[in-house]
Structure formats: structure tokens, C-alpha cells
Amino acid sequence: MRSSGWTLAALLACVFAIGSAEYAVLGVLPDIAGDLRVSVGTTGLLVTGYALTVAVAGPAVTALTTRVPRKALLIGMIAIFTAGNVLAALAGAFGLVLVARILAALVHSTFFAVGLVQAVSVVGAERRGRAIAVVSAGLNLATVLGAPLGTFIGHEFGWRATFWAIAVVSLAAMGLIAVAVPASSATGPDSVRAETRALVSREVFVVVVITVLTQIALFTPYTYIATILTEVSGFAAGAVGWLLMAFGGGGLVGNVIGGRLADRWPWGSVRGLLAGMAFVLGVFALIVQHGGAAAAGVLVLGVVSCALIPALQARAFAAAAAAPTLTVAVNTSAFNLGNAGGAWIGGRVLDGGASPHWLIGIGILAAVLAWVATAAVRRNVGVEGRTDVAVV
């Protein structure tokens, strides 16, 4: 394997560890609640607190670490992430588990941003979308493998074992970073100023808005997909886990597709995939009452929604090509902000007594709004045949 391949593999492994920690905790919340004598609702703070920390603290941490050498920063952040999971495994009280989760979440956005920039740097701008897709695939692997395995380990050996397992994977990934990622210098004062200027540009604002709307479109129904599949589609509770694995498997395919589309049709891929997402959600709303068709819909939704991840991150790069790190960190936080927003909106709708069908309808509306937001940009074909974002 070429050196660039090893670099991408090391970054993918770290993203897999981070994603597994984010998702696996969902399956052991009842175990934590029972052991630490708190309600399941209270343990939900481990999810909400993590997401909000990623969304709010990520850009700040990225800005504060711009002058740290990139390889050293990657190693340092995965070390902090590992320490957070070790602390959670050792915690004797819920409050300490929450602190541990917040500690781990502090490095989430920054690691993604620096890791994606490093990935693109070793393959070149012409293969930017594919590099982003490879690294982002770690999240899909976390959904397909990490979360189910973490839940299984937690149920068989106790919830603390889940955090120990994540810590071990993180240490192994840190070793890969030390060996496979090339050294690179810190950014200087001029680069720091360029990062800040890029962050306040209108182009970046448009990309971030589209990212938030896209994630609201997905996570308004997806957060409560178990409710939709059991109450509307008629699946047994035991089948939901397999269907979520199908979503993750579709996401792996979508990442590959999205990366290639982002390189070939940089901005057009975003518009096309957003239209496709609205269409898939619309069809899903019509077929969700039919079990087999609903299962196929979950798979296709995984393909389309995850294809948007490299496409949107590639647009964040294009919006600030000369200084992308802080912009990508903000866009990564936007993903988490959209996730949290979709979950909150969906929860309010269900608490209000509305049918789960409404969650899909809101997802369609958000996808359409994101597509409309693309009208705020136009195509500018620049060097290397790349289509960059520019505000009309």
C-alpha cells in the first residue's frame, strides 16, 4: 500500500474509534442507568452533552491549536479522547461519566478537521472528495460494526467494558497515526489570520447552513427510526438493529459514491444528492407502512444521506481552499448541530401527539430548504477544473 493509503487507513481507524464511542453509548444507556442509579432519561445527557460539546467547543479548540504541529496535534487529541474513555470506564458516579464524555467530545471536531486536511494533503486536490470519503467511512463502520459490538460487549461484560474496548481501539489507532501520518509543521500567524477570514466569509456561511438543514432532514426521522419501524412499518423490536445495520451498510456505499461525485461534479453533486434525498424521503413516506419496502427505503436513505457527507465537506474545503482547517471544523460542528436539532424537533413533534409520519414530512421540508439554499451560490470553474462555491 502506498504511504498515502496508510495515512488514510490510520485516519479512518481513528474516526472509527471516535464514531464508535459516539454511537455505542446509545445501546448501554439502560445499563448505565441501572448501575449508577439514575433514570434512563438522565443518561440521555451523555448523548446530548456530547453532541452539544462537539458543536460548540469544536471550532474554539481548532482555533486555539492552529499553531500546533499537525501530527503532534492528531496524536495529542486521540490521547485525550482515549483518556476520556478510560475515565468513563473508571467512573463511580454519573456526573463523572458525563465529564468524561465531554472531555472526549472536546477533540471531536478538531480531529476531524485536521484529519481531513491531512488526508487531502497526501492525495492532492483532484482527489479531495475520495480522500474525505475514505476517512468519513470510519463513521459508517462505527454504525455497522462499532455500535453493535460496543452494545454487545456492554451487555455481556458490563457497560464499563464498552468504554475499555473503545480505549483499546483508540490506542491502536494512535499507534497507526504515529507511524503512518507524515509530519507537518504548524500554521503560522498569516495562516491563522487566513483561517479566521475564511470562517466569516459568506461562502462558508452558505455551506454551513446547507449542512445543518441536511442533517435536520435526516435526523428528524432517523433519531426515531425505531418508533417509525415498529409503530408504522410493523417490525418487531428485535429487527430494528438489523435495519440500522442496513442503513450503515448503505452509508458505506454512499460514501464511495459521494466521494467520486464530489470530485467530478463538485457543486452539482450537492444539488443532485439533496434532490435525491427529498425524493427518497417522499417515497419512504408512501411505502413506510409496508415492511419489505420500508426496509429497502432505509437502505437507500443510508446511501443518499451518507453520500452527502464527502460532498458537503468538499464544499467546505472549496469555500476556504487556502485555509480550510477551521472551516472544516465549523462544518463538522454543523453536522452535529443538525443532528441535535433534528432529534429535538422530532421529539417535540412526537411529544405533541403527532403521528411518526410527520417526522418524515419535516425531513422532506428540510431537504427542500437545503436545496433551495443552493440557489445562493453559483458555479465558478477554477484551476484544476474544480468548481468552487461563490455567493451570487
Side-chain angles (χ1 to χ4, degrees):
M1 184 184 291
R2 296 178 300 173
S3 59
S4 62
W6 283 112
T7 298
L8 295 181
L11 293 170
L12 184 153
C14 289
V15 171
F16 171 74
I18 293 173
S20 295
E22 184 175 9
Y23 300 139
V25 72
L26 297 172
V28 296
L29 289 182
D31 305 85
I32 295 173
D35 186 40
L36 299 181
R37 298 181 180 179
V38 296
S39 68
V40 175
T42 298
T43 61
L45 292 172
L46 298 178
V47 179
T48 305
Y50 188 99
L52 290 177
T53 301
V54 172
V56 175
V61 173
T62 303
L64 291 171
T65 56
T66 50
R67 299 187 186 183
V68 179
R70 304 291 87 180
K71 181 174 181 177
L73 181 58
L74 288 171
I75 293 174
M77 286 186 296
I78 202 67
I80 291 172
F81 178 79
T82 303
N85 284 280
V86 170
L87 179 60
L90 295 172
F94 175 76
L96 193 55
V97 180
L98 180 59
V99 170
R101 289 282 290 174
I102 291 174
L103 175 64
L106 285 173
V107 303
H108 184 117
S109 279
T110 304
F111 186 92
F112 269 71
V114 176
L116 290 179
V117 172
Q118 290 296 102
V120 171
S121 72
V122 299
V123 302
E126 70 280 359
R127 299 184 64 193
R128 175 170 54 200
R130 299 183 194 185
I132 294 172
V134 170
V135 177
S136 298
L139 288 177
N140 300 104
L141 286 173
T143 303
V144 177
L145 297 176
L149 284 175
T151 299
F152 172 79
I153 290 171
H155 289 165
E156 291 294 318
F157 305 104
W159 64 269
R160 298 178 190 277
T162 298
F163 288 104
W164 282 120
I166 293 168
V168 170
V169 173
S170 301
L171 280 175
M174 184 168 63
L176 287 175
I177 291 289
V179 172
V181 175
S184 56
S185 61
T187 56
D190 290 340
S191 295
V192 174
R193 286 191 289 269
E195 295 275 1
T196 304
R197 285 195 300 269
L199 184 62
V200 298
S201 72
R202 292 180 63 196
E203 293 93 334
V204 170
F205 175 77
V206 171
V207 175
V208 168
V209 168
I210 293 171
T211 297
V212 171
L213 288 172
T214 299
Q215 292 308 101
I216 289 175
L218 173 63
F219 272 82
T220 300
Y222 182 72
T223 303
Y224 306 95
I225 194 67
T227 299
I228 294 172
L229 292 174
T230 55
E231 294 186 8
V232 180
S233 304
F235 284 102
V240 173
W242 295 103
L243 291 170
L244 293 182
M245 290 182 68
F247 178 92
L252 284 171
V253 176
N255 252 314
V256 174
I257 294 172
R260 293 182 180 275
L261 290 176
D263 287 333
R264 190 166 184 179
W265 296 290
W267 190 242
S269 64
V270 174
R271 292 176 58 86
L273 288 169
L274 282 172
M277 188 175 187
F279 176 77
V280 169
L281 284 169
V283 173
F284 188 60
L286 295 175
I287 65 175
V288 70
Q289 291 180 322
H290 307 284
V298 170
L299 174 65
V300 176
L301 182 59
V303 174
V304 176
S305 62
C306 292
L308 275 160
I309 295 175
L312 287 168
Q313 290 288 35
R315 291 303 81 217
F317 266 93
T325 307
L326 189 54
T327 297
V328 174
V330 170
N331 206 45
T332 300
S333 292
F335 276 99
N336 282 271
L337 185 61
N339 297 353
W344 183 85
I345 292 170
R348 302 293 72 74
V349 169
L350 291 179
D351 287 345
S355 164
H357 265 107
W358 280 94
L359 304 182
I360 305 173
I362 293 171
I364 297 170
L365 176 61
V368 171
L369 289 175
W371 186 88
V372 170
T374 63
V377 298
R378 61 181 173 84
R379 296 179 182 180
N380 275 342
V381 179
V383 295
E384 303 169 351
R386 187 179 69 236
T387 301
D388 287 340
V389 176
V391 173
V392 174

